[in-house]
Amino acid sequence: MKKTGILMPVSALPSTTGVGELGWASYQWIDIMKENGVKIWQILPLNPVGFGNSPYQPYSSCAGDELYISLDLLFEDRLLDKKPGKFRENAKRVDYTAVRAFKESYLREAFEKFVAGDGQKDPAYVDFTSQDWVYTYGVFRALKLDNNGDCWNDWKAEYKNWSGDKSVLSENVEKEARYQCFIQYIFYTQWMAVKKYANEAGIEVMGDVPFYVGLDSVDVWSGKDNFLLDTDGRPIFIAGVPPDYFSATGQRWGNPIYDWDYLKKNKYKFWVDRIGYSNKLFDIIRIDHFRAFDTFWKIPASCPTAIDGEWIEAPGYEVIDTLNKELPGVNLVAEDLGELRPEVLELKNHYHLKGMRILLFSIDTKGKYARDISNDIENVIFYTGTHDNDTLMQWYEGLTVAAKRKVREFLKKQGIKVGNIKDRLLTYVLKSKAEYAIIPLADIIGLGKEGHINTPGTVGSPNWEWHIVDFKKAKEELARYKNLIMNR
């Protein structure tokens, strides 16, 4: 069955607090998708963003970012005395620092009321916080705050190598850890309610799991043996990709490299736990940088760029076999973009995983006529673009006059002659053989550069800051494509 999806980060949803939340807008967005026949809501990672506000450098693979907690729902649950006022309601960019500062006092007030009302004795809360990762994450964030935000490998020894002994934690650190546990409980409760609403509306949620984890994360701090680190907790090698379309010097991500020998001895427990928890949160799990299950770019940590590195083979078959055995029915899809050796596609196809096809990279205009250089096959996800690409209209407007003419002629030859250029390009995607056609909301509403989410190889503003003020344009444009979506 063919399905249409929309890529829309939670952070970009309208709100009265300057960032998308798990409150009214999430439910309204689900209603809009349902009304127009959309069956998949693809989001970006929801984990607590770290360096550069990137969801691909989070503090945890399991935790959710407190930014997304709906203050209005906390008020409805009587955890706030007053309904919060509006803050940056009409902002077109997310100011992460300002929004965090605004929300924090309300979140801490909610925690105090929760504790005062014996909420910590609630069976649902006890059950949630009994998971191993929750308290460990709470301690990590508490110690990070107590150490002025420094990376864990700069903490003093008893904290850097904390083994679970609560006696070494100060009263303030212990209280902050409990606050962080509360935050995670609220996030989980609100998110699972949103997911349930989506599923009941016939919509699956596609989550995004980065292949690597951030160095400054609870994953590395509490599981050092899973990574190639020196005795001071610093990476010996780091992840990235060699020079490519996006960067002449490659991309030096800085994530620590996995110690695959150790992971194998432990039956890949780290991956089973990580994907297993994501499997609770999402219906479909997109593995970002899937190619690293086949081969990964290993860069000496001392190198300033990603040019100097080497491809190393990874035990992808063993890992995915283990995941399928331990997590029956897990629904994985692969981000398999870029220059790949054939073995990557063999690995993906061995497990019948859907890969990705990008319209922006498929239409070649170099010759006399434009042509589609990708294969129009069924077991794939066809995107106009991703969060890392130019928007559809940004791409088109950047073409030469001659290239634009070739694109229009190409579409005409496909029998797509009606509507403006955006309509015709979207029609081409929606009429493809691909089982899933997923379109970023920015492309649905026809945004240019202002809808660009992230530029790979760059850090900080304006990356990850895209935000919409309301759903007006989204409703109007989705309604125009409803028949196409419903009749895929």
Side-chain angles (χ1 to χ4, degrees):
M1 176 183 174
K2 290 184 177 181
K3 297 179 181 180
T4 301
I6 304 291
L7 169 57
M8 176 61 171
V10 171
S11 60
L13 293 169
S15 79
T16 57
T17 61
V19 69
E21 298 180 328
L22 304 176
W24 63 270
S26 292
Y27 294 92
Q28 189 177 352
W29 172 237
I30 291 167
D31 290 341
I32 293 168
M33 287 190 288
K34 178 183 178 182
E35 181 181 342
N36 292 286
V38 176
K39 296 296 184 181
I40 299 171
W41 177 15
Q42 182 176 342
I43 60 175
L44 298 182
L46 294 172
N47 312 111
V49 300
F51 182 62
N53 295 317
S54 170
Y56 294 90
Q57 292 282 355
Y59 290 137
S60 167
S61 290
C62 295
D65 199 315
E66 61 268 25
L67 272 178
Y68 305 130
I69 291 176
S70 167
L71 300 183
D72 288 343
L73 292 182
L74 290 181
F75 173 71
E76 290 178 16
D77 290 339
R78 299 183 179 180
L79 289 175
L80 297 177
D81 289 330
K82 295 181 180 179
K83 188 172 182 177
K86 296 177 180 179
F87 179 76
R88 294 180 56 81
E89 182 181 17
N90 297 313
K92 293 183 179 180
R93 313 296 304 182
V94 176
D95 185 331
Y96 286 87
T97 301
V99 172
R100 287 190 192 284
F102 171 76
K103 285 195 163 188
E104 184 172 10
S105 61
Y106 291 106
L107 295 175
R108 292 192 180 277
E109 176 191 340
F111 172 60
E112 296 297 339
K113 290 185 74 69
F114 183 77
V115 171
D118 284 336
Q120 291 172 305
K121 296 179 181 178
D122 186 310
Y125 179 81
V126 172
D127 182 60
F128 176 80
T129 54
S130 67
Q131 299 174 95
D132 291 340
W133 72 265
V134 179
Y135 183 71
T136 303
Y137 172 76
V139 171
F140 173 78
R141 288 299 299 269
L143 287 174
K144 190 167 179 62
L145 181 65
D146 198 51
N147 284 272
N148 302 309
D150 292 343
C151 184
W152 63 266
N153 53 25
D154 287 324
W155 300 348
K156 53 186 180 181
E158 64 263 41
Y159 294 153
K160 181 192 294 188
N161 301 308
W162 187 67
S163 59
D165 182 3
K166 293 184 180 181
S167 67
V168 304
L169 305 177
S170 69
E171 184 178 338
N172 285 340
V173 167
E174 173 62 23
K175 181 177 180 180
E176 179 66 19
R178 286 188 284 112
Y179 165 71
Q180 294 292 339
C181 293
F182 162 78
I183 288 296
Q184 288 311 307
Y185 173 68
I186 295 297
F187 171 88
Y188 178 80
T189 302
Q190 291 191 359
W191 169 249
M192 293 305 287
V194 169
K195 180 181 180 294
K196 182 173 184 281
Y197 190 78
N199 291 163
E200 289 174 348
I203 295 169
E204 296 175 289
V205 178
M206 183 188 294
D208 200 326
V209 174
F211 183 84
Y212 292 109
V213 299
L215 171 63
D216 192 11
S217 69
V218 66
D219 303 275
V220 182
W221 173 68
S222 64
K224 301 177 188 65
D225 291 339
N226 294 314
F227 305 90
L228 297 176
L229 308 175
D230 65 20
T231 54
D232 287 329
R234 303 184 191 283
I236 302 170
F237 298 95
I238 56 174
V241 289
D244 60 8
Y245 168 85
F246 291 112
S247 173
T249 57
Q251 297 175 46
R252 185 184 186 278
W253 296 334
N255 308 74
I257 295 289
Y258 293 110
D259 184 339
W260 287 110
D261 291 337
Y262 179 85
L263 289 172
K264 181 175 183 175
K265 290 176 185 175
N266 283 269
K267 300 180 180 179
Y268 303 106
K269 182 178 184 300
F270 177 85
W271 274 97
V272 172
D273 290 347
R274 190 172 180 231
I275 299 300
Y277 190 71
S278 292
N279 202 34
K280 292 181 183 179
L281 303 181
F282 313 119
D283 303 297
I284 307 167
I285 300 172
R286 172 188 177 272
I287 303 293
D288 188 67
H289 197 55
F290 176 84
R291 66 130 329 125
F293 274 131
D294 171 65
T295 47
F296 57 92
W297 191 242
K298 185 179 181 182
I299 309 166
S302 58
C303 293
T305 72
I307 293 176
D308 296 320
E310 60 178 330
W311 288 112
I312 305 294
E313 290 191 0
Y317 288 93
E318 286 186 11
V319 178
I320 300 176
D321 281 344
T322 302
L323 292 176
N324 286 332
K325 178 184 176 183
E326 298 297 326
L327 306 169
V330 64
N331 189 357
L332 304 177
V333 298
E335 183 273 291
D336 57 345
L337 303 175
E339 296 182 9
L340 307 174
R341 69 178 196 155
E343 288 85 348
V344 180
L345 302 181
E346 290 172 11
L347 174 65
K348 180 197 71 175
N349 293 334
H350 178 79
Y351 296 100
H352 306 290
L353 304 181
K354 288 180 177 60
M356 295 174 61
R357 176 185 173 207
I358 308 296
L359 177 66
L360 273 59
F361 299 153
S362 296
I363 305 300
D364 180 16
T365 61
K366 294 186 183 72
K368 185 176 180 180
Y369 303 103
R371 62 193 182 101
D372 190 337
I373 58 175
S374 63
N375 295 320
D376 189 12
I377 57 177
E378 294 178 6
N379 193 37
V380 74
I381 308 174
F382 195 7
Y383 291 83
T384 50
T386 74
H387 60 274
D388 282 337
N389 305 131
D390 288 347
T391 65
L392 186 62
M393 296 313 298
Q394 185 181 8
W395 166 78
Y396 181 77
E397 292 303 329
L399 297 176
T400 64
V401 172
K404 289 178 183 177
R405 176 181 52 76
K406 292 176 190 177
V407 169
R408 293 193 300 270
E409 286 298 317
F410 168 78
L411 293 170
K412 189 175 180 180
K413 288 179 181 178
Q414 311 308 311
I416 303 172
K417 307 173 185 178
V418 179
N420 58 37
I421 189 62
K422 182 191 72 152
D423 290 346
R424 283 178 275 167
L425 287 166
L426 293 187
T427 298
Y428 182 69
V429 172
L430 292 171
K431 284 193 170 183
S432 72
K433 293 179 182 178
E435 188 174 343
Y436 294 174
I438 296 183
I439 303 169
L441 183 65
D443 289 346
I444 291 285
I445 60 182
L447 295 182
K449 183 179 180 180
E450 69 276 17
H452 193 131
I453 294 176
N454 176 60
T455 301
T458 67
V459 177
S461 184
N463 292 340
W464 316 113
E465 294 175 355
W466 179 60
H467 185 251
I468 64 173
V469 175
D470 57 48
F471 287 123
K472 184 175 184 295
K473 189 73 172 175
K475 285 181 179 179
E476 292 173 355
E477 293 300 299
L478 272 173
R480 294 180 57 240
Y481 302 117
K482 181 175 180 178
N483 287 338
L484 266 174
I485 293 171
M486 298 285 281
N487 295 312
R488 285 205 74 223

